[in-house]
Amino acid sequence: VQLVESGGGLVQTGGSLRLSCAASQSIFSTPAMGWYRQAPGKQRELVALIQSGGGTNYADSVKGRFTISGDNAKNTVFLQMNSLKPDDTAVYYCHLRSWSGNYWGQGTQVTVSS
């Protein structure tokens, strides 16, 4: 499975970005897909997760600001990020947990300037 992220970039505090993650195969019935991020000198952390039944989970730090969603027809998962803060600066990675294993995208840089 290949995952290709897009949508990262440079934005000012308070701005918005929408990340996309396109999978090379159907994501329908995939147990879970999510977004993780890793800032310099820090461990990779879960940002948001969407399960096959539609349930979602968010890190406390992004609740109310970020929204994860999926489009099964396009095999794509999105992360809408609003009210961005400098602390959101990181490389964002798409993750897919399938019945055959775990897969990661190459990452996309998000930089929020103060």
Side-chain angles (χ1 to χ4, degrees):
V1 178
Q2 291 185 330
L3 303 173
V4 179
E5 301 110 331
S6 60
L10 174 64
V11 65
Q12 292 185 333
T13 296
S16 298
L17 285 173
R18 189 192 195 205
L19 305 183
S20 299
C21 173
S24 60
Q25 67 181 43
S26 173
I27 63 173
F28 183 76
S29 79
T30 295
M33 289 190 71
W35 290 93
Y36 289 72
R37 67 186 180 187
Q38 187 167 18
K42 295 187 177 180
Q43 290 188 333
R44 190 172 296 188
E45 63 176 358
L46 175 67
V47 176
L49 183 73
I50 184 166
Q51 296 170 322
S52 58
T56 57
N57 296 92
Y58 297 92
D60 287 343
S61 59
V62 307
K63 283 181 181 177
R65 300 188 298 121
F66 291 10
T67 303
I68 189 170
S69 61
D71 185 335
N72 288 332
K74 296 182 179 180
N75 298 329
T76 300
V77 171
F78 305 97
L79 184 67
Q80 178 66 43
M81 306 187 294
N82 299 326
S83 302
L84 283 161
K85 307 174 182 179
D87 284 349
D88 296 318
T89 295
V91 178
Y92 284 69
Y93 297 91
C94 180
H95 174 256
L96 183 152
R97 186 177 77 221
S98 76
W99 301 110
S100 62
N102 291 287
Y103 302 90
W104 294 91
Q106 82 285 355
T108 185
Q109 177 70 45
V110 171
T111 303
V112 185
S113 64
S114 57

